[in-house]
Amino acid sequence: MSKIIFVLNGPNLNLLGVREPHIYGSATLADVEAMCLAKAKALGFSIDFRQTNHEGVLIDWVQEARTAACALVLNPAGYGHTSIALLDALKSLTIPVIECHLSNPAAREAFRHSTYVALAATGLVSGFGAKSYELAIEAAATLSLKP
Ligand code: CA2
């Protein structure tokens, strides 16, 4: 069984730390990757951390996770609120899927209150800034050890 946790990030998250720090915090995506790596390593896992601005690429990576990962941490960003195709891809997975958000979308604009991803996720962590990712890695590691 693989010990690789995929951490996939959707559109505009490459701008993290550069704009809107009052909403998303001041950590850059590289900082978040370093935090995920350290947390996963401490738990005996490795990570494959990626970001894309393209829906089809994200879907390709979700499909890749089916066979290459023991768990998936996914911040779908805006696609979580819009993409049925992403939901369909996630439904093909049997590994744990942790939906992860920096902000708390439920406390923001109405159009962020629902995500398609949640329909296929094992659980969701949101609202803790970069710490959401650490918590999601912990959940992914714990769940992937279950028989
Ligand atoms: O809170 C999150 O992690 C979100 O997934 C972030 C998405 C947003 O559409 C979701 O509702 C919640 C937006 C990602 C864009 O990130 C930026 C970061 C810095 C500057 C501009 C955009």
Side-chain angles (χ1 to χ4, degrees):
M1 164 62 126
S2 141
K3 297 274 273 181
I4 304 172
I5 299 170
F6 270 31
V7 185
L8 302 182
N9 296 278
N12 298 307
L13 286 163
N14 53 309
L15 299 174
L16 207 58
V18 178
R19 288 176 32 207
E20 304 192 71
H22 55 292
I23 301 175
Y24 300 116
S26 55
T28 66
L29 198 60
D31 295 334
V32 173
E33 179 174 8
M35 285 172 68
C36 287
L37 183 62
K39 175 58 76 177
K41 204 173 163 192
L43 296 168
F45 289 77
S46 61
I47 58 162
D48 191 331
F49 190 100
R50 307 178 194 179
Q51 187 274 333
T52 179
N53 291 327
H54 304 279
E55 185 176 9
V57 173
L58 194 56
I59 288 166
D60 284 344
W61 290 348
V62 166
Q63 290 187 14
E64 192 183 330
R66 284 182 66 227
T67 50
C70 63
L72 169 62
V73 171
L74 173 62
N75 184 346
Y79 288 143
H81 309 301
T82 62
S83 179
I84 293 169
L86 180 59
L87 169 62
D88 288 341
L90 288 165
K91 280 186 168 168
S92 75
L93 299 185
T94 54
I95 57 174
V97 176
I98 318 300
E99 182 176 355
C100 175
H101 296 279
L102 296 149
S103 67
N104 176 3
R108 299 180 63 194
E109 304 98 319
F111 62 82
R112 297 185 201 277
H113 291 182
S114 68
T115 80
Y116 288 112
V117 167
L119 293 169
T122 314
L124 184 149
V125 182
S126 66
F128 302 104
K131 182 87 186 159
S132 289
Y133 282 76
E134 280 191 343
L135 295 168
I137 295 277
E138 267 185 53
T142 304
L143 290 170
S144 78
L145 291 175
K146 284 203 173 153

